[in-house]
Amino acid sequence: MTEVIDGNAVAQTIRDSLGGAIDTLDDAGVTPGLATVLMSDDPASETYVSMKQRDCEEVGINGIHVELDTHAPAQELYDTIDDLNADPDVNGILVQMPVVDQVDTRRVLRSVAPEKDVDGFHPENVGRMVAGNARFKPCTPHGIQKLLEHSGVETEGAEAVVVGRSDIVGKPMANLLIQKAPLGNATTTVCHSRTKDLAAHTRNADIVIAAAGVPELVDGSMLKEGATVIDVGVNRVDADTEKGYELVGDVEYESAKEVAGKITPVPGGVGPMTRAMLLWNTVKAASEQTGVAVDLD
Ligand code: GUN
């Protein structure tokens, strides 16, 4: 029987586990603060940011949302980041990606104070993670590690294939999987749009992490019997539904489910974990910035 990994349930466990740390901070007069910044009219980004704000409210993090006009000059975003960097009530800053074209994304990533960079995207934090000394692990790969842990999937010595090489998911995921550390020690291959024979790689994998942003790229015929399949894709495809679209992953779920040992659904798999790890990083940021020690594992 294939096990469907319930990301909502694991994310709830993570949120519950933050309660003690948030209480400890509260006793010391500290309420963690997370600022989300949106400069985009992408409807999916708007949804993601509002869900992140709702999560903050649920666990007792002070959520602050800044929305900038998509036609405003880029300087407005840079100034907003400077203000949030200087605000002691803000412990974490997340600028939802992608931002509008007039903005220099690299400048945004290096403008967020590394101590408040709960995405883990600042070059200093990327460097620390690669060196095995992460300040903040990026939320999606970190969430996937937690999903694997909660589902009892052994990464040590496993053949892992990461499909996709984005800065947000593919690259950091592969990096964490190769580290000599718990939830690492996997023999890891990164496949991408120029890979000649994707199936030849995925068929050899004990763990497949599909993060290419291509609807239903990986199907059951490309998997080894019993493999663990983690689907990071959230693709809107035209469909005859009320909204005019449906969400599909990077994995063709029905055929993959026939072959996989464990599989994440879309939605309800990786997405809730990304959001839970953002809360986790925000609590860690608040603890480190205020010197109030908390228990996080
Ligand atoms: N866009 C898609 N995923 C993410 C993420 O994890 N963080 C930010 N800031 N933007 C994103």
Side-chain angles (χ1 to χ4, degrees):
M1 267 298 281
T2 305
E3 178 189 330
V4 177
I5 300 174
D6 184 348
N8 283 313
V10 181
Q12 187 61 51
T13 308
I14 302 272
R15 285 195 295 273
D16 291 346
S17 79
L18 292 175
I22 292 173
D23 287 347
T24 304
L25 287 164
D26 192 48
D27 290 344
V30 175
T31 305
L34 173 69
T36 54
V37 183
L38 181 68
M39 193 175 187
S40 157
D41 48 21
D42 170 34
S45 291
E46 287 171 13
T47 306
Y48 295 147
V49 167
S50 69
M51 289 197 289
K52 288 167 187 175
Q53 285 294 335
R54 208 173 342 124
D55 292 339
C56 285
E57 201 176 323
E58 185 193 316
V59 300
I61 289 175
N62 185 26
I64 302 143
H65 180 56
V66 181
E67 201 154 328
L68 299 176
D69 190 294
T70 53
H71 299 293
Q75 191 61 44
E76 273 196 30
L77 177 55
Y78 309 142
D79 290 345
T80 297
I81 294 170
D82 288 346
D83 290 347
L84 295 170
N85 283 338
D87 185 341
D89 291 336
V90 171
N91 304 113
I93 302 170
L94 175 141
V95 181
Q96 184 67 31
M97 298 293 164
V99 282
V100 285
D101 289 346
Q102 69 266 32
V103 169
D104 175 355
T105 299
R106 284 183 201 281
R107 177 166 173 182
V108 169
L109 301 184
R110 62 173 191 269
S111 299
V112 174
E115 300 76 19
K116 298 190 176 187
D117 169 38
V118 285
D119 267 321
F121 294 167
H122 187 287
E124 179 182 314
N125 289 331
V126 175
R128 280 186 55 160
M129 185 208 57
V130 171
N133 177 34
R135 176 190 271 130
F136 300 115
K137 288 186 187 178
C139 301
T140 301
H142 193 189
I144 291 170
Q145 283 191 311
K146 293 281 183 194
L147 268 188
L148 295 172
E149 182 181 30
H150 279 260
S151 311
V153 178
E154 180 63 83
T155 57
E156 183 162 334
E159 296 285 333
V161 168
V162 178
V163 187
R165 54 178 157 180
S166 69
D167 292 334
I168 294 181
V169 185
K171 281 187 212 164
M173 185 76 255
N175 230 289
L176 292 173
L177 285 168
I178 61 169
Q179 289 189 3
K180 200 180 245 187
L183 303 167
N185 288 312
T187 304
T188 305
T189 303
V190 182
C191 296
H192 47 72
S193 53
R194 304 289 201 278
T195 296
K196 286 203 177 113
D197 186 352
L198 175 61
H201 293 283
T202 55
R203 266 189 213 117
N204 197 36
D206 304 306
I207 301 170
V208 175
I209 297 176
V214 179
E216 301 182 325
L217 175 66
V218 176
D219 67 30
S221 75
M222 300 164 68
L223 297 170
K224 180 160 93 175
E225 188 79 37
T228 297
V229 179
I230 305 291
D231 190 351
V232 186
V234 185
N235 306 290
R236 287 186 181 198
V237 297
D238 292 341
D240 193 12
T241 62
E242 201 177 311
K243 291 180 174 162
Y245 67 85
E246 64 180 354
L247 292 183
V248 300
D250 285 4
V251 175
E252 194 188 86
Y253 186 75
E254 292 307 325
S255 65
K257 193 164 172 266
E258 296 299 308
V259 186
K262 300 177 196 248
I263 188 167
T264 60
V266 176
V270 172
M273 292 302 296
T274 297
R275 286 159 40 208
M277 300 327 290
L278 175 64
L279 305 175
W280 199 96
N281 279 350
T282 302
V283 171
K284 181 170 195 272
S287 163
E288 286 177 359
Q289 284 160 39
T290 57
V292 179
V294 298
D295 251 353
L296 290 171
D297 62 6

